Structures are given as structure tokens and as C-alpha cells.
Amino acid sequence: TPYVDLRGRLVADLLLEHLREQGAVRPALIVGAGSRHSSVDAVAAYERRAEEHGWTPVVARVPESGGEQAGYECCAALLAEHPGIDAVCALVDAFAVGAVRAVRDSGRAVPDDVMVVTRYDGLRARTCEPPLTAVDLHLDRAASDAVELLLGRLRGDTAPLVAVSPKPRVIARASSLRTARA
């Protein structure tokens, strides 16, 4: 089946490296409970990074249908069970918005006590308070590539085609910037 590769492992690597550069030593990962490539790739990247940097792995899988409230409940539980968490990489933007609320309700501050980042640079990421560090996935290009793959399939192209999106770029925002203020 033709598809557009949004480079999930690289996206997770970029976010985790950003957190490490900002001083994270005990980051947690929150992903969707399904088997989406972005979640599977992120868990693999996180586990590799955890081993490299000596992090104790803390991974939570949450049904995406739960949205912001699921992110809130998951993050609140993680913070209670692992009070040393100093960063949360919540791949789903709704989870990240809920995580920000959970951090605050736990009496901690974003980003001073717990940094929060997400994968998708959408409206939720940009309008969250503080604004969420996210990734430019070049979705305009990905959408165009997907249309071209679909049109090719409709024309009868049968070769399995993969369009690889341009290199993703972290858009650092207030939810994770520590060193700039240190």
C-alpha cells in the first residue's frame, strides 16, 4: 500500500534530544494505545535513548479516543507513581495539553519542573499555555505527496510507493525551554 513516511522514529529522536539538551534526566513517554507507526517508532526511539542515557523507561499507552482528559489522567498517574519525572513527551497533542494541566494540578510548573513536548504542531500546541514545543512535520508536503500517490494508484500504478516527507524540525516553545532562562 502506498504511504507517506512522516519519519516517526526521527521525530521522536528529535523531541527526546531536545528534552535532553534542556536538562531532562527522567523523561516519560505517552503514546496512543494503538499500533500506529508513530507510536511504535516513538517507543523504539525512546527505549534506545533511555538505554543510551541511563534513563529509567517510563512509557504509558493511552487510547487516543480519550483525548485531553486521557492525557491528563495518564500524566497525573505517572507523576504520582514517578515523582522524579522532569519531562513528558506526549506524542498526541491532546495528551500533551492534558499533561500540562496535570503538571500544574500536581503543584509543579511547566517547564521549570516538568517540560512537555508533542509531535504535531497544530492549533492545540500553539494555543496551549504555555505554548507546546512541537515538530514541523511538513504536512502540506505530505498531503501533496499522498494525493500524488493516490492519483498514481488510480492510474493503475501497482508498485509499492513510499513518499518520504522532508526532515522534521523541532519548534521549541515555552513548554520546554529551560536553558534560555537559566
Side-chain angles (χ1 to χ4, degrees), residues 4 9-10 13 17 25 39 48 62 70 77 92 104 110 114 126 133 158 161 173 182:
V4 177
R9 190 172 294 217
L10 177 58
D13 274 335
E17 181 60 19
V25 293
S39 294
R48 190 183 74 256
V62 181
V92 178
R104 286 191 177 136
V110 175
V114 181
R126 287 180 249 140
T133 292
T158 57
L161 299 174
R173 296 194 178 104

Side-chain angles (χ1 to χ4, degrees), residues 4-161:
V4 177
D5 181 356
L6 294 177
R7 303 169 79 167
R9 190 172 294 217
L10 177 58
V11 168
D13 274 335
L14 290 170
L15 287 169
L16 294 167
E17 181 60 19
H18 169 75
L19 290 172
R20 193 190 65 73
E21 288 171 351
Q22 296 299 311
V25 293
R26 290 177 297 282
L29 177 68
I30 301 174
V31 296
S35 58
R36 273 183 171 193
H37 281 289
S38 59
S39 294
V40 171
D41 291 345
V43 170
Y46 175 82
E47 288 173 345
R48 190 183 74 256
R49 290 276 179 159
E51 187 169 325
E52 278 176 25
H53 301 299
W55 301 338
T56 300
V58 177
V59 177
R61 292 170 174 83
V62 181
E64 290 186 39
S65 60
E68 186 177 327
Q69 187 61 30
Y72 174 86
E73 291 169 4
C74 177
C75 187
L78 288 176
L79 292 170
E81 187 176 336
H82 306 277
I85 288 173
D86 61 358
V88 174
C89 180
L91 278 201
V92 178
D93 57 343
F95 293 169
V97 172
V100 167
R101 195 165 41 100
V103 168
R104 286 191 177 136
D105 286 357
S106 75
R108 298 173 186 135
V110 175
D112 297 331
D113 300 316
V114 181
M115 296 176 280
V116 180
V117 299
T118 193
R119 174 177 173 260
Y120 174 57
D121 183 37
L123 187 60
R124 284 180 191 253
R126 287 180 249 140
T127 60
C128 184
E129 190 50 48
L132 293 167
T133 292
V135 178
D136 179 359
L137 298 171
H138 305 283
L139 292 182
D140 54 342
R141 169 76 182 270
S144 174
D145 288 347
V147 168
E148 289 302 318
L149 288 172
L150 176 61
L151 291 174
R153 194 60 141 191
L154 292 173
R155 284 190 303 266
D157 296 349
T158 57
L161 299 174

Side-chain angles (χ1 to χ4, degrees), residues 151-176:
L151 291 174
R153 194 60 141 191
L154 292 173
R155 284 190 303 266
D157 296 349
T158 57
L161 299 174
V162 177
V164 178
S165 65
K167 185 175 181 187
R169 176 180 64 88
V170 171
I171 301 168
R173 296 194 178 104
S175 70
S176 67

